[in-house]
Amino acid sequence: MANMAQAVRMALHYGEKHLGVTDVFGEDVGPPLGGVFTATQGLKTAWNTPLDERGIIGTAMGIAYAGGRPVCEIQFCDYAFNVLDMFKLAGNQRWASGGGYDMPIVVMTPNGAGIRGSLYHSHSFESWASRLAGWKIVMPSSALDAYGLVLAAIKDPNPVLVLLPKALLRARDTRLIPGEPADADELSRMIDAPIGDRTEWEPNWPELEDHTVKIGTAELVREGTFGTVISYGRLLPLCAQAADELATAHHRTFDVIDLRSIFPYDWDMISRSVLKTGRVLIVNEDTEVTNFGEHLLRRIVDEHFYDLSVRPRTLMGKHVPGIGMNQNYELNSVPQLGDIRSALWDLATEAT
């Protein structure tokens, strides 16, 4: 049962072997490290770049223009701010050419808090990314979805940003990726590079199969009647846990929607759930001013105002410049399990 980093690595290997991936590159992406979180170990096409985000995105665009299918990485999403103008250019290309020039680049980057990464390694980028017209933006909350979303991103003719919640990159899924061995230790022996000298090491890849998660499709991970919870990435498992606890202790059940795609997103699933429950909570760890959750809240109010039983609400990160390394700063900067549990209880018990 793979963790998320292993799932990404296997998806990239499948992409090299079956989907025409020509290059996987970025800072420390190639040997010997294979990425800060080991998500690119053992890949045939992986190579290292200078510490230059603009060079990485520019190179990816050039490879795509030349007919390649590149996957690149910005080592932490905090440094994606260095290339906002280039993201805009990449997003423009298919539109400006009337579909004449595809831009099949995949940009991966770790996102969010949860590892005490302090000011330069703890930002969330999805709200900024949602404003990049022409891009598709995805964020998995499980290893299987990471595998499927990376495959979908590789196949897409548009630029796709894959935001990987760094706090979940070592989290194992309870479900198997098609073709992976059931024994986690066996998988590790096959595809994890040894500590120390790796000059002679090569991975023994399992015979992986296609498992594509269509971009723009959410997943209903819990079902209930007392409210709708919309989340993604790192906080989705905490939302599911809080919903389970309230169902067990108080018999209050909730629809928990894993959005999976920030854009395009699955409005149909959101709309059906709101119509059913009449109560909505949107949860993410990005800062609370001009947060993507506010867009969802606005649309829910616009289209379902008279279907709501109580006011819709959000639970988001504090609007602070960065997250301090001290654990207390991090715990009080982004929503935690207790915050989500309390918000769900308030949602379910507010009188109409």
Side-chain angles (χ1 to χ4, degrees):
M1 295 179 180
N3 64 37
M4 189 178 289
Q6 292 172 322
V8 170
R9 197 187 315 158
M10 288 190 285
L12 294 175
H13 166 70
Y14 187 93
E16 289 178 328
K17 187 173 181 180
H18 300 287
L19 303 178
V21 169
T22 55
D23 298 85
V24 178
F25 60 97
E27 301 162 4
D28 296 315
V29 161
L33 188 60
V36 170
F37 295 95
T38 70
T40 55
Q41 285 182 350
L43 297 170
K44 287 185 177 180
T45 64
W47 50 277
N48 294 316
T49 70
L51 304 181
D52 176 15
E53 289 78 22
R54 296 180 64 80
I56 291 169
I57 301 303
T59 299
M61 293 175 66
I63 292 171
Y65 277 134
R69 193 166 285 272
V71 178
C72 64
E73 181 183 84
I74 294 176
Q75 197 167 74
F76 290 90
C77 78
D78 309 64
Y79 301 100
F81 294 95
N82 298 347
V83 292
L84 284 174
D85 58 336
M86 300 192 74
F87 280 158
K88 182 177 184 296
L89 288 173
N92 286 346
Q93 294 309 295
R94 297 194 79 219
W95 172 271
S97 67
Y101 290 95
D102 288 345
M103 184 50 62
I105 67 174
V106 178
V107 180
M108 305 190 307
T109 187
N111 188 83
I115 64 166
R116 298 177 64 183
S118 192
L119 297 176
Y120 299 104
H121 302 88
S122 296
H123 281 90
S124 292
F125 192 68
E126 70 267 19
S127 298
W128 290 86
S130 69
R131 304 180 190 110
L132 294 170
W135 283 76
K136 296 182 179 181
I137 317 296
V138 301
M139 190 188 304
S141 66
S142 67
L144 184 61
D145 281 352
Y147 182 84
L149 288 169
V150 169
L151 293 190
I154 291 168
K155 296 175 183 179
D156 205 291
N158 299 283
V160 181
L161 180 62
V162 181
L163 297 170
L164 298 169
K166 63 176 73 76
L168 297 182
L169 281 166
R170 293 289 177 264
R172 294 197 178 278
D173 208 323
T174 58
R175 303 163 297 178
L176 290 173
I177 291 166
E180 74 159 303
D183 187 306
D185 291 335
E186 181 183 356
L187 178 66
S188 180
R189 289 190 293 270
M190 293 174 72
I191 69 170
D192 289 343
I195 297 173
D197 184 11
R198 301 172 178 177
T199 53
E200 302 298 325
W201 174 79
E202 290 188 2
N204 176 24
W205 298 105
E207 288 298 321
L208 298 163
E209 301 173 21
D210 192 5
H211 173 78
T212 303
V213 174
K214 183 180 178 182
I215 295 175
T217 60
E219 182 180 15
L220 186 65
V221 299
R222 297 291 188 277
E223 291 191 57
T225 58
F226 283 83
T228 297
V229 189
I230 304 166
S231 190
Y232 47 81
R234 177 196 172 204
L235 295 188
L236 189 282
L238 295 184
C239 289
Q241 182 179 343
D244 290 343
E245 291 177 2
L246 291 179
T248 299
H250 301 287
H251 307 291
R252 301 294 206 280
T253 59
F254 300 86
D255 274 3
V256 180
I257 296 175
D258 184 352
L259 209 56
R260 300 197 292 196
S261 294
I262 309 301
F263 193 87
Y265 57 86
D266 194 341
W267 176 249
D268 288 343
M269 180 177 288
I270 294 171
S271 182
R272 288 195 304 270
S273 183
V274 171
L275 283 170
K276 180 176 74 170
T277 69
R279 298 168 186 254
V280 184
L281 173 68
I282 301 162
V283 182
N284 66 47
E285 60 180 325
D286 206 349
T287 52
E288 60 192 351
V289 176
T290 64
N291 185 294
F292 174 69
E294 295 177 328
H295 162 72
L296 295 178
L297 188 75
R298 189 273 306 163
R299 188 170 181 186
I300 289 167
V301 170
D302 279 356
E303 300 194 25
H304 288 293
F305 182 81
Y306 295 107
D307 303 312
L308 294 169
S309 301
V310 299
R311 63 178 179 86
R313 61 203 75 189
T314 57
L315 180 62
M316 303 176 290
K318 300 291 193 301
H319 191 58
V320 293
I323 293 173
M325 184 173 288
N326 185 293
Q327 187 174 9
N328 287 329
Y329 291 138
E330 182 164 305
L331 292 176
N332 287 283
S333 297
V334 296
Q336 305 297 319
L337 176 62
D339 303 316
I340 299 169
R341 189 191 304 113
S342 295
L344 284 179
W345 178 252
D346 291 345
L347 179 71
T349 58
E350 182 174 332
T352 58

